[in-house]
Amino acid sequence: MKSPLLQRNGFWQHLSDARRHFAQTTEAVVDPIGVVMPIVRSWQAWLNHPAELMTTGAQMMSDWTQLSANAWSRVNGARLSPDIEPDWFDQRFACPAWKEEAGWASLLEHYLYWSRAYERMIEETPGMDHAERRKAAFWFKKYANAMAPTNQFWLNPEAMRRAVETQGQSLQQGLAHLQTDMQDRRLPLTDMTAYKVGKDLAITPGAVVYRNALLEVLHYQPTTQRQRSMPVVIITPWINKFYIMDLTPQQSMVKHLLDDGFDVYLTSWKNPTADMGSTTMDDYLSRGIDVAIDTALQLSGAQEAHAVGYCIGGAALTMWLAIENVRAKAESRAVRVPHWTTLATLVDYHYPGHIEIFIDPASVDYLAGVVRRAGYLDGKSMSAAFRLLRSNSLIWDVVVRRYLYGEATKPNEVLYWNMDSTRLPAEMYIWYLTSLYLKNQLIVPNALSLCGTSIDLGKITQPLYLVAAEDDHIAPWRSVAHINHLLPASKRAVLSSSGHIMGIINPPRPDSRRSYRVGNVQITDTLEIWEARSTKCSGSWWPDWFAWLHERTGKWVPAQPLVNEQFPALAPAPGTYVREMSEHSAA
């Protein structure tokens, strides 16, 4: 359908501003995180522009007439191609009945039209700023997803077919799943009984060689007779647990590094409790990253280490390296990390992806009060926010398959890790939202002070291997790439296919359908210039990274001992902190 209401940048784009009708203090009480009020303000803005609203209404009436005519023609036997079709990635309407049967085809067409038309109206509301329109459109789309006919038994042809074919067993099994999930207070993405950490996942041999109240440092058993002399220290995110880097042996980045001759250390963070609410970003830098790197240097006997940071671990590593450069210069010594790698890491938070929907001053003030009372952000809340970003695949598809189809969830290592959530300490979390997401201060020289040192990313001169993922909705690749203009260092950049997890956990395999772009990048390069100069490759980017590391991580030496007298084994890998569960995680 060519209706203007389904086109972006429609005829209402350049209308005048509308007045705000509710005081911010009142709204903070009624709707603290802005789930409803942005949509209300959108409709108020339209009411303030009656001429445009009447024109829009007339177009809707015309479109409705066309949809009704299509429905009548189908009832009378006409085989019409649909005017509106689901997106290619939308699997909700895969059942053939949605295309082949007149009633279902018309229902689908009406649902898609009205949900998209209203979403377009909200996106282009006259008199609302861009951020407010995005927020209103986001929440409207979530409501529209929830109201999809596929989520209702009597409006889902596949659910009814299965109920008939199984003589009601699918519904009986779905009810059993519902009762179990209500008791467990969770909507499982996978079979949470299929894996056990340390037995099925995170099984690479190693030992905890250091422990404090914030982290354990793991050192892994070498798998080759010789290793590079410079250790590799992986700074994992403390949002979720470290074993995304060490799933099964086939998927484990840790094991692949070991098998290629690298000496690997890794951080495993404490799952915070209420008494850790005062833990700050300073603590994660000084008692976390600094300690992990010192442990690797002292145990290995090396003078330098390569550091790898993933997600928030990469952002923290960037802060630490800015501090390290200042201190090394003041102390007339070498920087302990002469080159580094970031994986799906944001340092410029101007556009942090759809997560920005949850982050504005009123929402942050509300969340600050909640987490300060608890002492931490509960992992359940954070998980729910990320699942809302892709509600069709991470919420409603699970609801339909479990409760309407009666299907059991299938084992999946990555989804198990995703459900094994962690908490965040209150003060660190509030600082993270305020200083980075709201104020974007990390990119402003000397706007932040951490560990008693002003942060200036321009001080970082160490070569960087930078990895982004093209379908990443948590760290959008174009935003990740902004680090190029902030650091006066040589860089090699990779743009991997897939998303925030699978774009990074991307081991070489003969049947891989993944691809990536790779190439050196100059500080003056635009994305277009880099893309034109880069090379498109199939498969995994890991071999390119390993080759880059081999050029920089020292000579071949006999494999390092796992432990020594100064750093004895405190526990076998994967350690004790990784086994600490949040209240809704797997037992």
Side-chain angles (χ1 to χ4, degrees):
M1 179 178 286
K2 300 300 184 181
S3 167
L5 293 181
L6 299 183
Q7 312 305 315
R8 294 191 180 275
N9 301 319
F11 49 82
W12 50 77
Q13 181 182 13
H14 302 294
L15 303 178
S16 61
D17 288 344
R19 294 174 300 172
R20 295 182 181 271
H21 294 276
F22 294 95
Q24 186 175 4
T25 52
T26 303
E27 183 176 329
V29 174
V30 176
D31 185 21
I33 60 173
V35 176
V36 175
M37 293 309 298
I39 298 174
V40 172
R41 281 196 295 272
S42 172
W43 294 123
Q44 289 174 331
W46 277 104
L47 290 173
N48 285 339
H49 294 76
E52 290 83 2
L53 182 59
M54 289 179 65
T55 305
T56 303
Q59 181 64 56
M60 284 186 165
M61 182 61 69
S62 173
D63 295 342
W64 177 79
T65 302
Q66 179 64 51
L67 293 174
S68 299
N70 291 349
W72 182 250
S73 297
R74 291 190 183 99
V75 168
N76 286 294
R79 299 188 65 84
L80 301 178
S81 298
D83 278 347
I84 310 172
E85 295 189 87
D87 294 318
W88 66 268
F89 52 81
D90 189 346
Q91 299 300 310
R92 293 175 296 173
F93 305 99
C95 176
W98 291 109
K99 290 185 177 180
E100 298 172 359
E101 298 183 24
W104 295 116
S106 295
L107 174 61
L108 170 60
E109 204 168 52
H110 276 77
Y111 168 74
L112 292 177
Y113 171 79
W114 292 109
S115 59
R116 291 177 182 177
Y118 279 121
E119 184 184 353
R120 295 294 183 269
M121 280 188 67
I122 292 173
E123 285 177 340
E124 301 182 9
T125 300
M128 287 181 73
D129 64 60
H130 176 70
E132 183 112 18
R133 282 184 277 127
R134 275 178 53 83
K135 191 167 189 174
F138 172 86
W139 286 112
F140 175 82
K141 189 169 186 175
K142 299 308 145 183
Y143 298 140
N145 290 344
M147 297 304 295
T150 48
N151 297 340
Q152 326 298 322
F153 174 77
W154 295 109
L155 298 178
N156 186 323
E158 177 66 14
M160 290 191 286
R161 181 190 67 79
R162 293 190 184 209
V164 171
E165 290 182 354
T166 63
Q167 297 182 333
Q169 289 298 311
S170 61
L171 290 179
Q172 185 176 356
Q173 188 60 50
L175 180 60
H177 290 325
L178 177 61
Q179 291 173 331
T180 299
D181 294 348
M182 290 180 68
Q183 290 173 356
D184 294 342
R185 295 192 299 170
R186 69 183 180 199
L187 179 64
L189 295 172
T190 186
D191 181 359
M192 297 303 291
T193 66
Y195 305 102
K196 187 174 182 180
V197 174
K199 179 180 179 183
D200 307 294
L201 307 174
I203 61 173
T204 302
V208 175
V209 294
Y210 179 89
R211 179 188 293 127
N212 64 23
L214 190 58
L215 92 162
E216 292 179 333
V217 179
L218 277 66
H219 184 208
Y220 286 95
Q221 183 72 48
T223 60
T224 57
Q225 291 186 345
R226 297 190 307 159
Q227 290 181 312
R228 291 294 182 181
S229 60
M230 185 183 296
V232 173
V233 183
I234 302 175
I235 308 302
T236 59
W238 50 92
I239 299 173
N240 287 101
K241 296 182 179 178
F242 85 80
Y243 63 90
I244 189 61
M245 314 301 286
D246 186 28
L247 290 169
T248 64
Q250 295 77 21
Q251 299 167 295
S252 171
M253 179 182 284
V254 169
K255 187 175 189 306
H256 278 78
L257 284 166
L258 291 169
D259 290 347
D260 224 61
F262 296 103
D263 185 19
V264 181
Y265 294 77
L266 178 145
T267 60
S268 175
W269 302 97
K270 173 80 173 175
N271 194 2
T273 51
D275 60 352
M276 295 177 65
S278 60
T279 303
T280 64
M281 182 61 79
D282 282 31
D283 294 313
Y284 278 91
L285 300 180
S286 62
R287 297 165 53 211
I289 296 177
D290 200 74
V291 165
I293 290 171
D294 257 356
T295 299
L297 295 180
Q298 292 182 52
L299 179 50
S300 67
Q303 299 299 309
E304 299 172 321
H306 180 86
V308 183
Y310 186 9
C311 190
I312 190 176
L317 177 60
T318 306
M319 300 172 207
W320 179 89
L321 199 52
I323 296 169
E324 173 70 2
N325 273 272
V326 172
R327 291 183 174 177
K329 183 177 180 180
E331 298 168 8
S332 300
R333 61 172 173 82
V335 173
R336 288 171 288 171
V337 172
H339 34 74
W340 55 309
T341 298
T342 58
L343 310 174
T345 294
L346 284 176
V347 296
D348 184 346
Y349 291 78
H350 174 70
Y351 176 63
H354 294 306
I355 196 69
E356 71 174 354
I357 297 298
F358 302 102
I359 302 171
D360 56 50
S363 299
V364 171
D365 285 346
Y366 170 76
L367 291 170
V370 171
V371 300
R372 281 195 172 113
R373 287 192 294 272
Y376 55 78
L377 175 72
D378 180 29
K380 179 169 56 177
S381 301
M382 187 162 46
S383 176
F386 285 124
R387 291 178 75 167
L388 270 173
L389 298 180
R390 294 191 171 179
S391 59
N392 277 338
S393 58
L394 298 180
I395 297 177
W396 299 116
D397 182 65
V398 181
V399 166
V400 169
R401 292 188 177 279
R402 279 184 69 76
Y403 306 151
L404 301 188
Y405 298 172
E407 294 181 357
T409 49
K410 299 177 181 179
N412 182 288
E413 300 91 344
V414 174
L415 293 179
Y416 178 93
W417 165 83
N418 182 271
M419 292 289 293
D420 189 7
S421 61
T422 57
R423 311 176 193 94
L424 292 179
E427 293 306 318
M428 187 287 301
Y429 175 67
I430 295 166
W431 181 92
Y432 183 55
L433 290 185
T434 303
S435 299
L436 302 191
Y437 279 94
L438 274 186
K439 299 180 180 179
N440 198 18
Q441 291 179 310
L442 184 54
I443 67 170
V444 181
N446 304 316
L448 292 176
S449 179
L450 292 165
C451 303
T453 304
S454 295
I455 303 299
D456 181 357
L457 302 188
K459 302 289 188 183
I460 302 175
T461 60
Q462 289 69 35
L464 170 65
Y465 194 98
L466 164 69
V467 183
E470 60 185 7
D471 294 328
D472 194 334
H473 63 292
I474 296 172
W477 74 269
R478 292 180 182 275
S479 297
V480 169
H482 288 178
I483 194 174
N484 178 51
H485 303 297
L486 302 171
L487 308 181
S490 64
K491 307 172 194 74
R492 186 166 179 82
V494 167
L495 178 60
S496 175
S497 62
S498 199
H500 191 70
I501 302 302
M502 304 313 295
I504 304 303
I505 307 306
N506 183 10
R509 47 188 295 179
D511 59 342
S512 175
R513 292 181 291 180
R514 307 281 177 79
S515 62
Y516 64 98
R517 282 194 171 275
V518 62
N520 295 332
V521 57
Q522 305 300 320
I523 193 169
T524 56
D525 283 353
T526 64
L527 293 174
E528 292 73 21
I529 290 175
W530 174 81
E531 189 171 10
R533 192 172 61 240
S534 64
T535 303
K536 181 69 178 291
C537 305
S538 59
S540 169
W541 55 268
W542 288 10
D544 182 86
W545 181 42
F546 290 177
W548 188 88
L549 287 177
H550 277 301
E551 294 174 359
R552 292 164 173 80
T553 49
K555 298 179 180 180
W556 290 106
V557 297
Q560 298 287 341
L562 179 64
V563 297
N564 62 21
E565 290 185 4
Q566 184 181 359
F567 294 97
L570 305 179
T576 58
Y577 285 173
V578 72
R579 303 177 194 272
E580 296 174 344
M581 298 293 179
S582 297
E583 58 273 10
H584 69 293
S585 298

